[in-house]
């Protein structure tokens, strides 16, 4: 009990120093947590991928189309349960700064493949029956204040022209990592217009989303699908949805590596600051430690006391970071929704913060604690003199 009182008293003996140290640890760990959350947001599509979904695209590039007629042949492959054609539409709403993802899909099959996109039965029916309908995510509706029945016109880039769409449904995510900022329209609507305006582009699709019965057979089924179109004018590349998403993430690999490195550099900097604080504390109190040894305190007890003080400071800073991070992350999610549709602090990040806080506290006090524990009483008094 006496040691505990001494630890608390000595930790906050220099209040300004203690507060600044805790604030420094808190700021550093909050920054670390934010950078970890950015990395998680970048990989959100990968995390949300299903093992029972495959993607078939043109083997040359995603920008090259595939014949829609491939769908029937893919559907006949053993193990394939459902196939839905889709296109990245790339439409612009009013201005380029209003960017959001928009896809043209075969609605009925697509939403069977994605049960995490939750839509009411009445809304889904209204969307299915209207060829010029759109379904949008909840966050997208909030961003532009769109409601059911509103007409939204997208300016086509890949598919030129003005494309009026009526919002017939608003979906919600069944999971926290579901992207609620996407607009979906009917693939058949685009195909009909292409038949009239650009017949050579009709009957083509950008990719096929494929549902399979057994995730363990993904590689086998992918190989079987690609084998159907070997030596054709449009050979295919089929991969799991996760691998497909990873392809986009890998394009930013250098940026992600830099963010990861900086996040750990931040931890190293605050470790140096905390170590300096504990070294100063140990030097200033060397005479006190000598007196305590003359009174019967063992060297290991004094070393543990200094370690406890360091841990108390660093863990207090970690606690502040854990309290601040969700609030700051919510603000980021609100203001950067168009860049990071999913910006959630993960459980792993919330575990890493106190873990690194404890690590900083321990490492910062190792050298001073070892010095205090081993210093001789006479030597300590000579240093004072």
């Amino acid at each position: 009990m006496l040691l505990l009182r001494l630890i608390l008293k000595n930790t906050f003996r220099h209040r300004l120093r203690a507060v600044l140290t805790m604030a420094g640890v808190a700021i550093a760990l909050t920054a670390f947590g934010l950078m970890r959350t950015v990395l998680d947001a970048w990989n959100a599509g990968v995390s949300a991928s299903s093992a029972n979904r495959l993607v078939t695209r043109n083997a040359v590039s995603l920008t090259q189309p595939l014949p829609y007629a491939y769908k029937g042949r893919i559907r006949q492959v053993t193990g394939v349960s459902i196939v839905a054609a889709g296109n990245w539409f790339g439409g612009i709403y009013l201005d380029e700064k209003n960017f959001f993802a928009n896809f043209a899909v075969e609605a009925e099959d697509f939403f069977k493949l994605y049960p995490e996109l939750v839509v009411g039965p009445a809304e889904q029916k209204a969307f299915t029956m209207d060829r010029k309908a759109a379904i949008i995510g909840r966050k997208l509706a909030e961003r532009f204040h769109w409601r059911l029945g509103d007409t939204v016109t997208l300016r086509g880039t890949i598919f030129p022209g003005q494309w009026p769409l009526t919002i017939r449904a608003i979906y919600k995510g069944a999971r926290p990592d579901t992207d609620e900022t996407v607009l979906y329209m009917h693939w058949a609507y685009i195909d009909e217009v292409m038949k009239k305006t650009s017949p050579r582009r009709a009957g083509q699709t950008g990719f096929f989303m494929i549902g399979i019965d057994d995730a363990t057979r993904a590689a086998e089924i992918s190989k079987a699908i690609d084998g159907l179109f070997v030596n054709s004018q449009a050979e295919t590349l089929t991969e799991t949805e996760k691998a497909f998403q990873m392809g986009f993430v890998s394009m930013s690999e250098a940026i992600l590596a830099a963010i990861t490195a900086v996040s750990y550099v931040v931890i190293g900097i605050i470790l140096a600051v905390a170590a300096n604080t504990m070294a100063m504390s140990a030097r200033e109190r060397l005479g006190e430690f000598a007196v305590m040894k003359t009174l019967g305190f063992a060297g290991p007890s004094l070393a543990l006391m200094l370690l406890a003080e360091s841990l108390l400071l660093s863990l207090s800073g970690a606690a502040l970071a854990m309290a601040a991070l969700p609030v700051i992350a919510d603000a980021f999610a609100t203001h950067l929704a168009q860049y990071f549709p999913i910006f959630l602090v993960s459980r792993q990040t919330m575990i890493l913060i106190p873990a690194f806080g404890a690590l900083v506290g321990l490492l910062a006090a190792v050298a001073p604690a070892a010095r205090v524990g081993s210093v001789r009483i006479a030597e300590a008094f000579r240093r004072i003199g």
Side-chain angles (χ1 to χ4, degrees):
M1 196 66 183
L2 177 62
L3 275 177
L4 181 60
R5 289 179 62 190
L6 283 172
I7 290 167
L8 290 172
K9 207 165 186 182
N10 287 321
T11 300
F12 298 100
R13 173 185 293 190
H14 297 283
R15 292 184 182 178
L16 180 60
R17 182 193 298 172
V19 168
L20 290 176
T21 302
M22 286 190 297
V25 172
I27 292 169
L29 290 177
T30 301
F32 170 79
L34 275 176
M35 284 185 276
R36 290 283 309 181
T37 305
V38 168
L39 291 174
D40 291 340
W42 222 305
N43 288 282
V46 177
S47 304
S49 300
S50 169
N52 288 85
R53 292 195 290 254
L54 305 178
V55 181
T56 295
R57 62 174 177 85
N58 193 299
V60 176
S61 168
L62 186 60
T63 60
Q64 300 299 312
L66 291 172
Y68 179 74
Y70 281 11
K71 177 179 177 177
R73 298 177 65 184
I74 294 172
R75 184 64 184 83
Q76 292 173 5
V77 174
T78 304
V80 172
S81 58
I82 191 167
V83 183
N87 266 102
W88 167 258
F89 184 70
I92 296 170
Y93 176 64
L94 299 180
D95 191 270
E96 282 81 356
K97 67 181 180 181
N98 295 326
F99 172 81
F100 56 87
N102 42 87
F103 292 90
V105 298
E106 289 188 295
E108 189 173 347
D109 290 335
F110 182 82
F111 286 101
K112 288 179 182 176
L113 276 169
Y114 286 86
E116 61 265 34
L117 306 181
V118 181
V119 186
E123 291 183 10
Q124 188 165 1
K125 183 178 179 181
F127 172 67
T128 305
M129 294 180 67
D130 184 355
R131 191 60 59 89
K132 294 184 179 181
I135 179 171
I136 61 174
R138 177 183 59 86
K139 291 182 180 178
L140 187 61
E142 291 175 355
R143 177 183 171 190
F144 293 109
H145 308 288
W146 289 339
R147 299 179 182 178
L148 295 177
D150 286 354
T151 298
V152 176
T153 300
L154 298 183
R155 174 165 53 87
T157 53
I158 301 171
F159 302 94
Q162 298 295 319
W163 298 81
L165 302 167
T166 303
I167 297 172
R168 297 297 184 191
I170 299 174
Y171 73 84
K172 297 179 181 179
R175 305 195 310 248
D177 60 354
T178 302
D179 188 352
E180 297 179 331
T181 64
V182 183
L183 179 147
Y184 296 100
M185 57 191 292
H186 288 284
W187 177 87
Y189 177 31
I190 296 178
D191 194 53
E192 283 182 2
V193 175
M194 288 297 102
K195 286 176 181 177
K196 298 175 183 177
T197 61
S198 183
R200 293 182 62 184
R201 298 184 65 185
Q204 295 182 340
T205 186
F207 54 83
F208 292 102
M209 294 301 305
I210 302 166
I212 59 176
D213 299 320
D214 185 358
T216 61
R217 297 184 58 225
E220 176 190 341
I221 295 171
S222 298
K223 187 176 180 181
I225 292 171
D226 293 338
L228 294 173
F229 310 108
V230 172
N231 297 325
S232 67
Q233 290 185 343
E235 295 189 357
T236 62
L237 173 64
T238 303
E239 54 195 347
T240 62
E241 185 184 25
K242 185 174 183 178
F244 180 73
Q245 296 286 356
M246 283 290 290
F248 291 101
V249 174
S250 63
M251 296 177 188
S252 308
E253 191 172 355
I255 297 174
L256 300 181
I259 294 174
T260 302
V262 170
S263 68
Y264 289 110
V265 168
V266 168
I267 298 297
I269 291 171
I270 197 58
L271 171 59
V273 172
N276 181 61
T277 299
M278 296 315 299
M280 288 174 60
S281 179
R283 283 198 305 271
E284 290 172 355
R285 293 157 53 196
L286 198 58
E288 294 179 22
F289 289 127
V291 172
M292 292 177 74
K293 282 190 173 184
T294 64
L295 295 175
F297 285 88
S301 297
L302 298 178
L304 286 173
M305 186 171 71
L306 200 62
L307 279 171
E309 292 174 20
S310 180
L311 278 171
L312 182 57
L313 285 173
S314 60
L315 288 176
S316 296
L320 290 173
M322 292 175 71
L325 182 57
V327 177
I328 296 173
D330 284 344
F332 267 70
T334 301
H335 292 92
L336 299 176
Q338 66 184 98
Y339 304 108
F340 297 109
I342 301 166
F343 199 83
L344 298 172
V345 181
S346 68
R347 183 180 299 179
Q348 183 182 15
T349 298
M350 294 300 282
I351 292 172
L352 283 174
I353 288 176
F356 276 115
L359 184 64
V360 166
L362 286 171
L363 294 179
V366 165
R371 177 63 179 156
V372 166
S374 61
V375 70
R376 295 175 179 275
I377 296 173
E379 181 185 350
F381 282 128
R382 276 200 302 272
R383 283 180 176 274
I384 297 169

